[in-house]
Amino acid sequence: MDYTSPVEYNQERIHAAAVYCSDGRVGEHFDDFLHNGLGLPRYDRVALPGGPARLAGYADASIEERAVIEELKFLADAHGLTRIVLIQHEGCAFYQHRLGVDGEDLRLLQDADLVKAADAIRDATGLGQIEGYYAMRSAGGMRFLPVPLDKHHANPATRNRPT
């Protein structure tokens, strides 16, 4: 099949990247949030099962973690990244099926993993502007909540769940 996209090509870089889960059920919501919620009309995408969880130090994801870090370092250098957005989402199969985590502990762990992922990215790239968000189902769509990325929030025992 031969297809020509009607979307006009714009070569201007936004200098931002997003790391999120590859779950096809939430891809359009992520794009909408990044485009309209954060004002990023174009951004570099790093989509893989578990998204930021792949950068949180899990032993069974260490090979992937090194590869993703290398790709983010490449993008930071080649595309002049200044901002990285990390997004976790409700009902992530990576946590449920690969890590065996579900229920209330899942949300707490995902928030803590955003902090760990941000630290890993900062250490590897030197970038300072890293943001974390949690996406949850809401009235047929998705609601995006900011997640603080400081060390205090990395420990699930010290983290209060937002309402």
Side-chain angles (χ1 to χ4, degrees):
M1 175 174 89
D2 187 335
Y3 177 81
T4 301
S5 172
V7 177
E8 185 177 328
Y9 177 78
N10 185 330
Q11 69 181 16
E12 180 184 350
R13 294 207 188 276
I14 297 298
H15 306 289
V19 179
Y20 51 73
C21 187
S22 58
D23 187 333
R25 300 172 300 169
V26 293
E28 290 181 55
H29 300 95
F30 290 171
D31 279 341
D32 179 56
F33 170 65
L34 289 154
H35 294 173
N36 299 308
L38 297 182
L40 297 172
R42 294 172 309 287
Y43 56 91
D44 293 346
R45 293 161 171 82
V46 179
L48 60 161
R54 296 300 184 116
L55 303 172
Y58 291 103
D60 63 345
S62 63
I63 292 171
E64 295 97 334
E65 181 173 353
R66 288 191 298 274
V68 173
I69 288 292
E70 287 303 314
E71 296 305 326
L72 285 170
K73 284 173 31 179
F74 167 78
L75 291 173
D77 293 340
H79 294 179
L81 296 184
T82 58
R83 180 180 184 187
I84 296 181
V85 177
L86 306 174
I87 305 173
Q88 293 280 32
H89 73 94
E90 179 179 26
C92 182
F94 177 83
Y95 284 92
Q96 295 170 337
H97 297 282
R98 188 151 186 197
L99 301 180
V101 179
D102 206 355
E104 284 191 35
D105 292 340
L106 176 57
R107 171 66 198 277
L108 296 174
L109 182 59
Q110 287 178 292
D111 284 0
D113 285 352
L114 283 170
V115 175
K116 292 175 188 174
D119 287 344
I121 293 168
R122 277 189 206 98
D123 290 347
T125 66
L127 294 176
Q129 190 175 356
I130 302 173
E131 304 161 35
Y133 296 91
Y134 179 79
M136 59 191 289
R137 289 183 295 274
S138 175
M142 297 292 286
R143 179 178 177 199
F144 291 81
L145 303 171
V147 176
L149 297 181
D150 58 54
K151 296 277 189 198
H152 171 75
H153 292 87
N155 181 353
T158 63
R159 175 77 168 87
N160 293 323
R161 286 183 65 181
T163 57

